[in-house]
């Protein structure tokens, strides 16, 4: 199964990326996911279910530790492929 995760972290700072946003970017960019799109107002990534769910766990833990006061996320199934769990 393939999943797409969309997320934002808060609080926002338009002048400089806050520590939690930098951490979020690092987590997603190093998680081995496909179609990663990191931006100032929203971020998306796709991949096999195991990798996306592992990344979401790390994302939540690490961004909250880095000062995020809110993490909004949405996870969608985007296709059902056999053997794409990793």
């Amino acid at each position: 199964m393939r999943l797409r995760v969309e997320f934002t972290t808060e609080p926002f700072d338009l002048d400089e990326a806050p520590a939690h946003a930098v951490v979020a970017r690092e987590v997603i960019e190093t998680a081995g996911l496909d179609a990663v799109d990191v931006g100032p107002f929203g971020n998306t990534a796709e991949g096999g279910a195991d990798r996306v769910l592992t990344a979401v766990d790390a994302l939540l833990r690490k961004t909250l530790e880095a000062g995020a006061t809110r993490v909004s996320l949405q996870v969608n199934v985007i296709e059902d492929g056999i053997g794409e769990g990793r």
Side-chain angles (χ1 to χ4, degrees), residues 48-65:
D50 288 345
R51 286 190 185 202
V52 170
L53 295 173
T54 297
V56 166
D57 177 63
L59 175 78
L60 291 171
R61 292 175 188 276
K62 292 181 179 184
T63 58
L64 292 170
E65 289 172 2

Side-chain angles (χ1 to χ4, degrees), residues 31-78:
L33 301 175
D34 309 322
V36 174
D37 182 19
V38 177
F41 299 109
N43 310 283
T44 61
E46 299 176 4
D50 288 345
R51 286 190 185 202
V52 170
L53 295 173
T54 297
V56 166
D57 177 63
L59 175 78
L60 291 171
R61 292 175 188 276
K62 292 181 179 184
T63 58
L64 292 170
E65 289 172 2
T69 57
R70 179 178 179 153
V71 180
S72 301
L73 66 90
Q74 180 173 317
V75 177
N76 294 300
V77 174
I78 55 174

Side-chain angles (χ1 to χ4, degrees), residues 5-20:
V5 61
E6 301 175 47
F7 67 92
T8 58
T9 61
E10 295 179 40
F12 295 114
D13 183 342
L14 296 178
D15 295 325
E16 184 177 334
H20 59 80

